[in-house]
Structures are given as C-alpha cells and as structure tokens.
C-alpha cells in the first residue's frame, strides 16, 4: 500500500512545523524552499528536497504553501505555471480576502484548485487536533484532502468563497494584535511601577477574558441596538483618559491607549456619547 504524499513549499517556522507534522504521520514529503539549507533537518528525517519549484509541483497532487504574503506565492508559482495543472494548492499564506480570490482565479486559469486556509495557531500548535484552520474554496477539494489537512490541525470549513477563510483570519488577527498590544502596553506601565509581568499575570488573564462581553454584545451588534444602558462612550472617554495620564505619569509612551481614546472621542463627537461602545461599529464605517 503506497504511503500518502504531499509537497510543502516554503520553510519558514510554519512550513517547517507542517513538514515535520507530515513526516510524523508517515507521509512522503517533498520540499522546496528558496534557501535549501532550511530543509536540512527535515531531509535528515526522510523528506525529499527538490531543486526546482516545477519538480516540487509535479511530485504530488496536494501542494501546501505557507508564505509571507501572496506576492511571494506568485513569485514562486510563476516560475513553473505549466506544472500547476491538476494540482490542489492548500494556500495557507496570510493576505487579504481580495488577494485570496484573485489567486484562486489565477490558479484556476492554470488548471489548479486553491483551498484557502487561515491557520489559527502558532507553529508549536501544528499537528494538534486542538488547533484549527479556517478553510474555504471548493467543498469537493476540501473533502478529498481532508485527511491530509487534518494532519496539521482540525478543519473549520466556511464555504465555497475562496476569500472567506482569509476574511475570518484577518478579522481574528485584527482582534489579536489589538488586544495583545493593549496587554504589552499595560505590562510596560506595570514594570515602570515595579510590578512584574509574572506578578500581574493572574489579573491579566482575568481582565482579557472577554467571553461575557462578546456574548452580550454580539446579538446587540447584529440588531443595531447600541443602547447605552450598560456602558456608554462618554464613560469610556473618561476612563481611558485616566489610563493615558497614568501611563504618562509612569514615564510610558501613551500612544497605544491614546489611539483608542481618539476613536472613543470620535464617537462622542458624532453624537453617540450616550450610546454603547458597540456604536463604534458604525463610527468606523466609511
């Protein structure tokens, strides 16, 4: 019985983790990377490194790519577009929904199918069923390669639109970076006042547990109900002003909370001072 096989293109930290996960599960793994030496440890474990992207594409039906952006995807695949016919490209590269749709159309024009992916775990989580990846694109392609995709993480299939996985991913990353920046700024203030990150850790975990707020706000946002019966932007401006002054008094650059404070003030200036924070979903619309 032949072993399952896959091609992995791109050996940054994520690509390395993905190739290793396939080797762990007994796959025949073909590799290509612009810097061949990055494949050394994987080759030592049994992976096969090929010299050209054409050879990498022709080696297997399923090609997994995790690159910096879609510009890098095109830079690689345009070297051998003739080798794309009949391939399924699991494109786990981060970029915009529009770029994902454009790439899917470009690949289709060369006889290939794109499965767009948005990985929801850092490299150490690859290979765990507890982690998940958003996928979108042709359902038949996802089902045909589900076993291979599930080697990496569980599959969260969103639908046929190739841009959906990228959209869900970018929405999540929007919240992730914003929240993490707030955490790091808060820890800078803590350190400036002699409080270690370890000492504050249990308080940070509790503060960043937004489950109650998300479950309370979600139906109100969908209903367009921005009633300020629980919170309002006027209160938020006052509260965040204190945060900015505390940072300044601590000798910490206040630009992170100041940027959010400016957004809150915009909401107040638009006449929503007595409305809930959820009204910001309207304020930021162009």
């Amino acid at each position: 019985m032949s072993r399952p096989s896959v091609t992995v293109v791109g050996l940054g930290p994520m690509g390395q983790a993905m190739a290793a996960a396939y080797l762990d599960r007994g796959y025949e793994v073909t590799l290509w990377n612009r810097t061949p030496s990055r494949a050394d440890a994987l080759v030592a474990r049994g992976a096969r490194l090929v010299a050209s992207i054409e050879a990498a594409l022709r080696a297997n039906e399923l090609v997994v790519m995790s690159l910096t952006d879609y510009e890098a995807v095109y830079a690689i695949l345009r070297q051998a577009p003739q080798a794309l016919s009949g391939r399924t490209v699991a494109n786990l590269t981060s970029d915009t929904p529009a770029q994902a749709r454009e790439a899917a159309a470009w690949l289709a024009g060369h006889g290939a199918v794109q499965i767009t992916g948005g990985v929801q775990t850092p490299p150490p989580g690859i290979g765990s069923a507890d982690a998940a990846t958003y996928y979108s694109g042709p359902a038949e392609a996802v089902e045909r390669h589900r076993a291979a995709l599930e080697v990496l993480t569980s599959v969260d299939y969103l639908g046929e639109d190739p841009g959906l996985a990228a959209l869900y991913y970018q929405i999540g990353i929007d919240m992730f970076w914003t929240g993490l920046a707030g955490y790091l700024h808060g820890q800078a203030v803590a350190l400036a006042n002699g409080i270690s990150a370890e000492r504050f850790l249990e308080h940070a975990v509790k503060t960043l547990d937004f489950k109650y707020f998300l479950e309370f706000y979600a139906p109100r946002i969908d209903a367009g109900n921005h009633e300020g019966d629980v919170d309002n932007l006027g209160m938020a401006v006052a509260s965040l002003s204190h945060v900015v002054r505390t940072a300044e008094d601590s000798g910490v650059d206040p630009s992170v909370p100041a940027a959010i404070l400016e957004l809150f003030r915009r909401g107040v200036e638009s006449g929503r001072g007595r409305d809930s924070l959820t009204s910001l979903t309207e304020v930021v619309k162009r």
Side-chain angles (χ1 to χ4, degrees), residues 92-228:
L92 309 182
T93 300
S94 172
D95 217 312
T96 68
Q99 287 280 13
R101 294 180 183 111
E102 182 179 314
W106 183 84
L107 283 163
H110 291 282
V113 173
Q114 174 172 287
I115 299 172
T116 308
V119 183
Q120 300 174 67
T121 183
I126 295 297
S128 169
D130 293 333
T133 298
Y134 296 127
Y135 287 102
S136 65
E140 185 276 331
V142 173
E143 289 307 312
R144 187 168 72 253
H145 296 289
R146 178 176 284 273
L149 299 176
E150 288 180 339
V151 168
L152 305 178
T153 68
S154 63
V155 172
D156 186 351
Y157 179 65
L158 302 174
E160 296 272 342
D161 176 359
L164 269 178
L167 178 59
Y168 272 62
Y169 177 79
Q170 297 305 343
I171 292 169
I173 290 297
D174 182 352
M175 297 185 294
F176 174 78
W177 287 126
T178 304
L180 195 57
Y183 164 72
L184 295 173
H185 188 273
Q187 296 319 290
V189 174
L191 291 170
N193 288 277
I195 302 170
S196 71
E198 283 289 342
R199 180 179 173 187
F200 199 83
L201 180 59
E202 67 174 296
H203 305 288
V205 170
K206 291 176 183 177
T207 299
L208 292 175
D209 181 2
F210 293 134
K211 185 175 186 293
Y212 168 82
F213 297 98
L214 302 184
E215 291 179 346
F216 178 75
Y217 283 144
R220 289 188 165 208
I221 291 171
D222 286 343
N225 175 10
H226 305 303
E227 182 182 359

Side-chain angles (χ1 to χ4, degrees), residues 44-66:
R45 292 189 53 196
R48 181 173 73 102
L49 177 67
V50 294
S52 70
I53 186 60
E54 180 174 2
L57 294 173
R58 294 195 186 281
N60 296 293
E61 179 191 349
L62 179 62
V63 179
V64 175
M65 305 185 74
S66 180

Side-chain angles (χ1 to χ4, degrees), residues 251-277:
V252 174
D253 181 351
S255 58
V256 173
I260 306 302
L261 177 57
E262 176 59 27
L263 176 60
F264 288 179
R265 283 176 171 157
R266 279 176 53 197
V268 172
E269 290 166 3
S270 71
R272 293 183 175 274
R274 294 184 179 277
D275 289 347
S276 168
L277 264 67

